[in-house]
């Protein structure tokens, strides 16, 4: 079974994402910020990461940059899930190594589509 890590400071968003991912046959782990997510990745590298941008402690962009420097950190498919819709912000996420970008709010069809495009499904 593939492992997905949901990193978002909102418990509600994590819960919604967990349901969607479990319906897509993922085992799901959760983190409330980028630092917690990075610690998780150092223990077990996920197949996919759904990543929020704006979080306390370590934001999504910093998490992504640091993940890509970790041993095996190039493997997870990272999908940003954010309210950030400025084209320059989206481009900076993709330039930093994100595989796809989803605008909040999202649903199961959008997540499945983006994970398919990222090569996880």
């Amino acid at each position: 079974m593939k492992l997905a890590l949901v990193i978002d400071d909102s418990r509600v968003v994590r819960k919604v994402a967990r349901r969607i991912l479990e319906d897509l046959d993922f085992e799901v782990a959760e983190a409330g910020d980028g630092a917690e997510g990075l610690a998780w990745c150092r223990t077990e590298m996920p197949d996919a990461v759904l990543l929020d941008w704006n979080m306390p402690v370590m934001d999504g962009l910093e998490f992504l940059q640091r993940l890509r420097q970790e041993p095996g950190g190039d493997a997870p498919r990272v999908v940003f899930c954010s309210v950030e819709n400025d084209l320059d912000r989206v481009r900076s996420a993709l330039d930093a190594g994100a595989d796809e970008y989803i605008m909040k709010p999202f649903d199961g069809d959008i997540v499945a589509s983006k994970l398919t495009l990222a090569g996880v499904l």
Side-chain angles (χ1 to χ4, degrees):
M1 182 175 281
K2 291 185 178 181
L3 173 64
L5 175 60
V6 179
I7 306 174
D8 198 299
D9 57 328
S10 167
R11 283 183 22 177
V12 172
V13 171
R14 290 195 313 265
K15 184 176 181 178
V16 169
R18 172 182 283 279
R19 271 204 200 118
I20 289 169
L21 291 164
E22 286 176 343
D23 287 347
L24 295 171
D25 294 324
F26 280 91
E27 181 181 340
V28 180
E30 299 179 21
D33 60 61
E36 188 180 332
L38 194 60
W40 181 270
C41 291
R42 288 175 175 154
T43 303
E44 182 177 0
M45 200 59 75
D47 298 289
V49 177
L50 290 186
L51 178 62
D52 185 26
W53 191 301
N54 298 306
M55 296 178 288
V57 184
M58 180 189 297
D59 69 19
L61 192 60
E62 183 181 351
F63 164 84
L64 179 57
Q65 292 165 337
R66 293 179 68 180
L67 171 69
R68 294 305 192 209
Q69 295 171 0
E70 291 289 318
D74 58 336
R77 297 292 168 222
V78 176
V79 178
F80 258 100
C81 301
S82 181
V83 297
E84 296 287 341
N85 64 358
D86 179 73
L87 191 55
D88 289 335
R89 296 276 282 193
V90 173
R91 187 174 295 117
S92 66
L94 297 173
D95 288 347
D99 296 286
E100 288 293 335
Y101 201 96
I102 296 174
M103 294 298 304
K104 288 180 181 176
F106 54 83
D107 62 22
D109 291 339
I110 292 169
V111 172
S113 170
K114 293 295 185 172
L115 289 173
T116 299
L117 288 171
V120 183
L121 287 180

